[in-house]
Amino acid sequence: MSDRDEINDEFAEQGRAVYEALLARTGEGAPQPRLEPTRRALDLLGDPQRAYPIIQLAGTNGKTSTSRMIEGILRGYGLRTGLFTSPHLVSFNERIVVDGEPISNETLVRNWEDIQPYLNMVDLELEEAGEPTLTFFEVLTVLGFAVFADAPVDVAVVEVGMGGEWDSTNVADAAIAVFTPIDLDHTNRLGSTIAEIARTKSGIIKPAATVVTAAQHPDAMAQLKNAAELSEAPIVVQDVDFALTSDVVAVGGQVISVRGRAGEYTDLYLPLYGDHQGQNAALAVATVETFLGNGLQRLSTDPLTEGLTEVESPGRLQLVGIEPTVLVDAAHNPHGARSLEAALGKYFDFREIVFVLGVLGDKDAEGILEVLAPLAARIHLTASTSTRSVPVDELTDRARARIDPRLLHSFDSLEDAVFEAREWANEGESRLVVVTGSVVLAGEVVVMAEDNGWKK
């Protein structure tokens, strides 16, 4: 073993230790609705989040895909980019990306060692005040901003964790506030109506920022426009100021055309499935136009083409197996399930589908099932390894109350659920396996597919 290999192994072990230390904190499923502790930690670090402009994204679905597209186009222009997304699919390092690559364990460990003394100081202050110590996501936010300043990056694309107003990423003053479609999700924390949820998400709009938004439900749009007006922030609206003008199915994805703020962009190849991804691409184009030239300068063909052609969106209609065909899609709410339903009908030609489904406890399992059941020949109910997963017996009872019980098959083991689904698909013609319902579930099946060579 070379000295470099030994160093890599050492940092891999230390990187795992960093992740374990984060997991020991209050998890992402129970965020604290506050900003001051994150702001305090960053202040002690010299406010690294002020060292570069920030594009911040909030919404219910499409945040990660749109973030990746924005980052890819900006990188095509030669900018050194930072990308902060959550949750991760397979590796924790996926959440913090510099110049198109997840940070190395060496970078993770070095920055962790730099920020840890300041995190300890804030934890101590919180304990003395009788408040909970910094949570997983608060610490992750501090780490991400520190990594970007250390890199350094020219621009950071930052996805909100949950909500917006009190999400820890909102300690930054984003130059552009981007909104993907807003729908019902996390209703126990964000509100029971689209208007309430949009009001919370609109909290990322700051004075002097520009708002770029996807087409929205009228109740959501009213909240965004109101918040923009109060902050005197100009607002750029999809289907008014820019639009997806065409999308045509192509091998491995689609070919799209976009009417941007500053010009027309035709025949762009997007290697992702789903009409919603075309809409995400239009939103990304308008965002980059806004960032680079305030919407007045047409994007150059080469950076735009390169940025979109090379974009990846792991866990979103991702092909992980052939013979039989296995798709993984991290749709975890009814809105995401509807996008999955539309994409399966347009981009794939199979006569029968088996869904392998597991959901987390704060998600609308019934709503997801009601969207997907009409497409299903079978539904395999299971659970991921997450402690937040709905137990299989409970999920089965909830499913039987809403859909035809003859469709349902329950499995305590995700591996068994997927194995039986693949066996069933291989026994007939034109059968498809779709794994969905949870990002965690999707990630575990991606690893399973790689380990077992499903695409060989």
Side-chain angles (χ1 to χ4, degrees):
M1 179 182 291
S2 68
D3 290 344
R4 187 62 194 170
D5 287 338
E6 290 182 2
I7 291 172
N8 288 338
D9 286 346
E10 177 186 349
F11 278 115
E13 184 175 342
Q14 292 180 27
R16 285 191 291 270
V18 171
Y19 186 42
E20 291 298 324
L22 282 164
L23 289 176
R25 295 177 176 270
T26 300
E28 293 173 279
Q32 290 291 318
R34 63 187 187 183
L35 294 179
E36 285 308 315
T38 306
R39 188 174 283 126
R40 170 65 173 152
L42 289 168
D43 178 61
L44 292 170
L45 283 165
D47 285 328
Q49 79 281 8
R50 299 188 186 279
Y52 39 80
I54 290 175
I55 299 171
Q56 188 174 24
L57 290 90
T60 301
N61 288 301
K63 295 190 297 296
T64 301
S65 295
T66 306
S67 296
R68 289 176 178 274
M69 293 178 199
I70 293 169
E71 185 273 340
I73 299 169
L74 290 172
R75 190 158 30 90
Y77 270 89
L79 296 176
R80 185 168 174 81
T81 56
L83 176 64
F84 182 91
T85 60
S86 62
H88 62 275
L89 193 67
V90 176
S91 167
F92 169 74
N93 300 47
E94 297 168 18
R95 295 172 179 241
I96 304 173
V97 174
V98 174
D99 229 16
E101 295 293 332
I103 58 170
S104 66
N105 284 311
E106 182 176 355
T107 298
L108 171 63
V109 171
R110 187 181 70 248
N111 280 276
W112 176 256
E113 290 174 345
D114 287 344
I115 71 172
Q116 194 168 21
Y118 303 100
L119 300 177
N120 293 339
M121 290 173 61
V122 176
D123 281 340
L124 182 60
E125 292 172 359
L126 290 169
E127 287 176 345
E128 290 176 345
E131 297 181 26
T133 56
L134 290 163
T135 66
F136 177 106
F137 196 76
E138 287 171 331
V139 171
L140 177 63
T141 299
V142 174
L143 177 63
F145 286 143
V147 167
F148 295 154
D150 180 64
V153 301
D154 298 314
V155 55
V157 181
V158 176
E159 176 187 337
V160 165
M162 184 186 294
E165 179 182 12
W166 43 258
D167 184 82
S168 59
T169 63
N170 203 33
V171 296
D173 292 329
I176 303 176
V178 182
F179 294 92
T180 63
I182 296 171
D183 209 304
L184 297 175
D185 198 16
H186 298 296
T187 52
N188 59 327
R189 291 188 174 273
L190 303 182
S192 59
T193 67
I194 289 176
E196 290 174 333
I197 292 171
R199 190 179 307 122
T200 299
K201 293 181 185 292
S202 71
I204 70 169
I205 300 173
K206 306 292 177 58
T210 299
V211 178
V212 184
T213 178
Q216 301 285 357
H217 184 284
D219 292 348
M221 187 63 75
Q223 294 296 327
L224 297 183
K225 288 183 175 180
N226 181 63
E229 183 178 352
L230 290 174
S231 295
E232 297 184 349
I235 183 166
V236 180
V237 179
Q238 191 163 10
D239 295 336
V240 177
D241 302 296
F242 65 96
L244 177 71
T245 54
S246 73
D247 60 320
V248 179
V249 176
V251 176
Q254 55 192 301
V255 174
I256 66 171
S257 295
V258 174
R259 172 175 59 81
R261 298 186 65 194
E264 298 280 344
Y265 309 95
T266 60
D267 298 329
L268 300 170
Y269 178 67
L270 183 65
L272 302 175
Y273 299 109
D275 291 357
H276 60 292
Q277 296 289 19
Q279 299 290 350
N280 291 340
L283 181 61
V285 167
T287 300
V288 175
E289 286 180 318
T290 302
F291 178 77
L292 293 179
N294 198 27
L296 301 176
Q297 180 178 332
R298 190 180 190 280
L299 299 182
S300 301
T301 300
D302 288 348
L304 176 58
T305 301
E306 178 184 340
L308 291 182
T309 299
E310 296 183 0
V311 72
E312 296 179 346
S313 192
R316 274 71 178 178
L317 280 167
Q318 180 180 355
L319 177 68
V320 300
I322 56 176
E323 296 182 354
T325 301
V326 181
L327 296 175
V328 164
D329 191 84
H332 53 271
N333 52 45
H335 186 274
R338 289 192 292 272
S339 294
L340 172 59
E341 173 195 26
L344 290 174
K346 180 173 180 178
Y347 291 84
F348 301 94
D349 185 20
F350 290 90
R351 287 200 296 268
E352 294 182 292
I353 302 175
V354 52
F355 290 97
V356 178
L357 182 80
V359 299
L360 301 185
D362 61 343
K363 301 300 179 182
D364 182 3
E366 290 87 347
I368 297 171
L369 282 162
E370 287 178 350
V371 173
L372 299 180
L375 306 179
R378 297 166 65 95
I379 299 176
H380 289 194
L381 300 173
T382 187
S384 69
T385 57
S386 171
T387 57
R388 295 167 56 203
S389 290
V390 176
V392 176
D393 290 345
E394 178 186 336
L395 183 59
T396 302
D397 289 341
R398 290 166 62 178
R400 283 176 176 162
R402 295 291 189 95
I403 65 174
D404 187 347
R406 291 174 296 181
L407 292 174
L408 304 176
H409 304 265
S410 301
F411 298 87
D412 292 327
S413 160
L414 171 59
E415 188 173 359
D416 288 345
V418 175
F419 176 82
E420 293 290 340
R422 294 181 75 241
E423 285 287 300
W424 173 84
N426 273 328
E427 289 171 357
E429 294 184 0
S430 190
R431 287 179 170 179
L432 170 67
V433 180
V434 179
V435 181
T436 191
S438 158
V439 175
V440 180
L441 193 82
E444 291 179 1
V445 174
V446 167
V447 173
M448 193 184 303
E450 291 175 351
D451 290 346
N452 291 280
W454 291 356
K455 290 180 74 174
K456 291 180 180 178

